[in-house]
Amino acid sequence: SSNTHKMSNWAVEFFGPQLQTKDGMKPTAEALAGKTRVGIYFSAHWCPPCRGFTPVLSEFYNDVEEEDSSALALIFASSDSDNSSFEEYYGTMPFFAVPFSATDKIQALGSRFGVRGIPSLIILDAADGSVKDADGRSTVAA
């Protein structure tokens, strides 16, 4: 459908052609198909507040997923210093990630949304990539 095409256009532009999932790499459009909201989670293992928030976010995501699996996709955008830190940290998360090698995409996302510090969670409308909640961290933590 044209809707899926529109969705995949912005998503591929934002995240690149593939997302890392718990089942390996998947085409971005396929991973996000049918989702209502897409959250981008800017985080890193070296950041103590991130390590504190990640379990909270993971639990929130699991609860949402149980209730309505089409409601939300979450995508980790890593500021980790190396791939092994990324792999270890992503290993604790139940959602998707921008591949660690796609640093250009991760940096572009940070610029696009004016991310000044981490952890940061931006919630987008899956239909067109528009911002629905620029401070998702407060929303989730509430």
Side-chain angles (χ1 to χ4, degrees):
S1 72
S2 64
N3 202 17
T4 306
H5 185 65
K6 184 182 176 191
M7 192 283 277
S8 63
N9 277 359
W10 76 259
V12 169
E13 185 192 323
F14 280 25
F15 307 120
Q18 290 192 309
L19 286 171
Q20 189 160 340
T21 78
K22 290 295 156 178
D23 306 312
M25 294 299 227
K26 287 238 173 90
T28 299
E30 185 187 308
L32 300 181
K35 301 291 186 181
T36 308
R37 297 277 183 269
V38 176
I40 311 172
Y41 180 42
F42 297 90
S43 186
H45 190 258
W46 50 258
C47 151
C50 295
R51 292 202 303 273
F53 182 61
T54 295
V56 176
L57 181 60
S58 295
E59 192 176 324
F60 172 82
Y61 173 80
N62 285 334
D63 289 348
V64 170
E65 186 78 0
E66 250 168 59
E67 218 166 278
D68 177 5
S69 61
S70 66
L72 178 67
L74 277 184
I75 302 170
F76 171 40
S78 169
S79 302
D80 286 305
S81 40
D82 55 58
N83 190 61
S84 60
S85 305
F86 163 77
E87 291 290 350
E88 183 188 339
Y89 196 31
Y90 180 57
T92 69
M93 302 176 191
F95 33 84
F96 303 146
V98 180
F100 186 74
S101 56
T103 40
D104 56 330
K105 290 292 180 196
I106 294 169
Q107 283 165 353
L109 286 168
S111 305
R112 185 188 293 271
F113 297 110
V115 174
R116 296 278 169 267
I118 54 174
S120 184
L121 177 64
I122 315 276
I123 307 290
L124 310 177
D125 187 327
D128 59 9
S130 60
V131 176
K132 286 291 173 192
D133 185 350
D135 186 15
R137 181 189 177 190
S138 299
T139 309
V140 169

